[in-house]
Amino acid sequence: MLITQGGDVLLAESVNGVLIRITEERLNHIYQGHPEVKGCEKWIVETIENPDLILEGDYGALLAVKKYEKTPVSENKYLVVVYKEISEDGFLITAYFTRRYAKWRKILWQQ
């Protein structure tokens, strides 16, 4: 969807139909811990909207997981986007690339 709202917020629609806010402040915070994700905003939106699977996170968070064959880090990495849905609204928590996602977590949704 990649809707801009007020210039500094992106919106992505989750598989549950909830709009997830992706704020500039949150992205800047993510870039500090995961600089490899900088410039991957479209991938973050794509992973929320069209994940390979959704895992159950901690404290009600959801982990959207999508495999990308070529990433800024290397080849064949998963992008994990952690977000929270609260009723009809949601927000981004973090995003990172990994070669393995947490297979021990409960799968809530799978493509």
Side-chain angles (χ1 to χ4, degrees):
M1 186 176 268
L2 197 63
I3 299 172
T4 54
Q5 179 186 44
D8 61 351
V9 177
L10 297 174
L11 295 174
E13 187 174 349
S14 75
V15 296
N16 295 325
V18 176
L19 288 179
I20 307 301
R21 286 177 281 117
I22 304 168
T23 64
E24 187 175 346
E25 175 277 327
R26 180 71 349 209
L27 287 171
N28 287 331
H29 178 78
I30 292 168
Y31 300 154
Q32 289 176 2
H34 304 286
E36 72 280 2
V37 178
K38 192 168 189 168
C40 296
E41 295 82 9
K42 288 184 180 181
W43 290 9
I44 291 171
V45 170
E46 181 181 352
T47 300
I48 292 170
E49 293 189 344
N50 189 27
D52 295 337
L53 56 127
I54 303 282
L55 303 174
E56 183 176 53
D58 297 331
Y59 308 106
L62 300 171
L63 286 73
V65 179
K66 187 168 184 73
K67 187 172 188 178
Y68 290 92
E69 296 198 10
K70 185 133 174 85
T71 73
V73 181
S74 67
E75 295 179 357
N76 294 314
K77 293 276 187 181
Y78 293 95
L79 179 59
V80 178
V81 178
V82 183
Y83 63 94
K84 208 163 198 177
E85 295 179 350
I86 301 172
S87 194
E88 296 178 20
D89 185 34
F91 58 92
L92 175 69
I93 297 172
T94 193
Y96 56 90
F97 286 103
T98 184
R99 68 175 179 257
R100 279 181 249 149
Y101 63 89
K103 293 185 178 185
W104 54 269
R105 290 192 179 272
K106 181 180 177 184
I107 296 174
L108 299 175
W109 183 91
Q110 194 165 14
Q111 193 149 35

